[in-house]
Amino acid sequence: MGNYYQPEIECASQEQIRQWQNERLVKQVAHVYENVPYYRAKMEEKGVTPADIQSIDDLHKLPFLTKDDLREAYPYGLVAKPLEECVRIQSTSGTTGRRVVAFYTQHDIDLWDECCARAIMAAGGTNKDVVQVSYGYGLFTGGPGLNGGSHKVGCLTLPMSSGNTERQIQFMTDLGATILCCTPSYAAYLAESIHEMGLRDKIKLKAGIFGAEAWSQEMRHDIEENLGIKAYDIYGLTEISGPGVSFECSEQTGMHINEDHFIAEIIDPNTGEVLPEGEKGELVFTSITKEAFPLLRYRTRDICVLSRKKCSCGRTHVKMSKPMGRSDDMLIVKGVNVFPSQIETVLMNKGYPANYQIIVDRVNNSDKLEVQVEMTSEMFSDSLKQVSAKEKELVDALKAMLGIYAKVKLVAPKSIKRSEGKAARIIDNRKLY
Ligand code: DLL
């Protein structure tokens, strides 16, 4: 059994959770309707008034919000509190060229920190732990979110931010960090560097809280083995607060969504229809406790599945699967849907490190997919013939997984640029949009 930050909430009965959601939703809809003209106009357009929303059964009547709305209302159009009451701005890293700016009151920050505290305690954290936060600090939510959560739990917090890998490892060993928080790609890079520096015996890590980007089960096993830790997933998005919207427990079979703050729905990304539990679709969130930036029915574009199966950790909040891709970032190559996570699974199953790049191009009106993968140092000494046999083996495995041909190029160890934040794995040269 677990380690909870707020056991009475995290293990509340389903009825209790539903009651909180009903009450808070009704209040939130009124708050948004009164204070956000942009959203009120959307509701009017759909012919809905706050009186139509009596419980979560009425949620489907509300209009969706998308990233386009956020862009249109940029910067202040969706803020629901006077700016005098707002104390913080955070923003996305903007890797997709669409910057999102989110606002927080002190109350919003406190609730966000509590969500992250739940994640840290679910990973075994207590006030005896030394938590190294190596997510970026600043506009990105990763550093500030886990930092706040770590304080709430009472852990000794090392606000490292990302980058300067040698210094990271020096602090990790000197100060005996026990929990590491960073992106999974940075965790893999840190693990690689720790081995190279011969410091594997000097680290005291027991757990890692890794998120902000997709990572496969295979990558999890590699990181767990290389660092001798248990690696927990954490999910979130700037629009809805940041990390800690959902987090993994010891069962490691999905992430509990903090349902006292966020109502989750799964919809068909094409029709917008709400899908029953267990079906795969786009995740939509309604934040029912946030004051400054309360988004209703926000379409995340993340594709996943929800499950209410009883969890051995004792938590009762619904679990979401790891995102299986994005309804917008999904690559369509020769008309076939390709998720980068499928490619990663093939590579990791064949013993390659998670250092790869996916390059898509269009030559003579035909799509070309290329996967560049780093060899391990053992493979690097292989003969040319052995290398091409390995490339061929990967081509076949990728074909079996994706259903289409992908050219494979094995490249020298360490030739693909390492990432200190989210890894940029896809280079799409087709410029289709
Ligand atoms: O990445 C917040 C975060 C920080 C989460 C630190 C976890 C840890 P954004 O920059 O707004 O916020 O990006 C949000 O990243 O819609 C997903 O597509 C993706 N993402 C976040 N966590 C995961 C995860 C932060 N655990 C977008 N697995 C989301 C897969 C994730 N994808």
Side-chain angles (χ1 to χ4, degrees), residues 123-195:
T126 69
N127 60 4
K128 295 199 175 59
D129 281 293
V130 178
V131 174
Q132 179 158 350
V133 183
S134 307
Y135 286 110
Y137 278 66
L139 286 171
F140 179 54
T141 53
L146 271 306
N147 193 93
S150 176
H151 279 222
K152 290 263 182 209
V153 177
C155 307
L156 182 56
T157 310
L158 259 168
M160 293 298 297
S161 196
S162 58
N164 203 337
T165 301
E166 267 183 35
R167 192 180 61 182
Q168 297 270 357
I169 295 170
Q170 192 181 353
F171 269 88
M172 188 185 286
T173 49
D174 289 356
L175 292 154
T178 50
I179 298 180
L180 173 66
C181 306
C182 62
T183 59
S185 45
Y186 196 41
Y189 179 28
L190 282 167
E192 190 178 69
S193 307
I194 289 166
H195 278 260

Side-chain angles (χ1 to χ4, degrees), residues 324-383:
M324 299 158 177
R326 292 186 49 91
S327 64
D328 56 354
D329 275 0
M330 176 181 73
L331 286 165
I332 303 182
V333 183
K334 294 184 179 160
V336 175
N337 295 353
V338 174
F339 289 109
S341 58
Q342 294 174 296
I343 295 180
E344 186 177 298
T345 297
V346 169
L347 300 180
M348 308 275 319
N349 278 339
K350 295 278 177 202
Y352 290 82
N355 297 316
Y356 64 92
Q357 217 144 41
I358 301 165
I359 301 155
V360 197
D361 223 324
R362 185 161 281 185
V363 184
N364 296 332
N365 291 322
S366 172
D367 288 338
K368 304 278 179 232
L369 179 63
E370 181 176 311
V371 182
Q372 296 190 350
V373 198
E374 265 184 22
M375 287 183 261
T376 59
S377 37
E378 296 89 296
M379 290 176 193
F380 194 47
S381 52
D382 285 354
S383 70

Side-chain angles (χ1 to χ4, degrees), residues 67 91-93 135 140-143 146 182 209-215 233-239 242-244 255 300 302 322-323 325-326 422:
K67 233 178 199 152
S91 176
T92 56
S93 46
Y135 286 110
F140 179 54
T141 53
L146 271 306
C182 62
I209 303 177
F210 306 135
E213 64 181 356
W215 51 311
D233 204 348
I234 183 165
Y235 169 91
L237 59 164
T238 313
E239 297 89 314
M255 295 175 272
T300 64
D302 291 317
K322 268 180 180 297
R326 292 186 49 91
K422 300 191 193 217

Side-chain angles (χ1 to χ4, degrees), residues 369-422:
L369 179 63
E370 181 176 311
V371 182
Q372 296 190 350
V373 198
E374 265 184 22
M375 287 183 261
T376 59
S377 37
E378 296 89 296
M379 290 176 193
F380 194 47
S381 52
D382 285 354
S383 70
L384 222 54
K385 205 167 141 204
Q386 285 169 310
V387 170
S388 26
K390 288 214 164 72
E391 286 175 340
K392 168 90 180 45
E393 191 199 0
L394 274 183
V395 167
D396 292 344
L398 285 170
K399 178 102 201 272
M401 172 67 98
L402 309 172
I404 53 168
Y405 170 77
K407 181 175 171 189
V408 172
K409 200 159 150 192
L410 290 177
V411 298
K414 311 225 176 308
S415 60
I416 291 178
K417 195 169 175 292
R418 297 295 187 269
S419 151
E420 290 167 350
K422 300 191 193 217

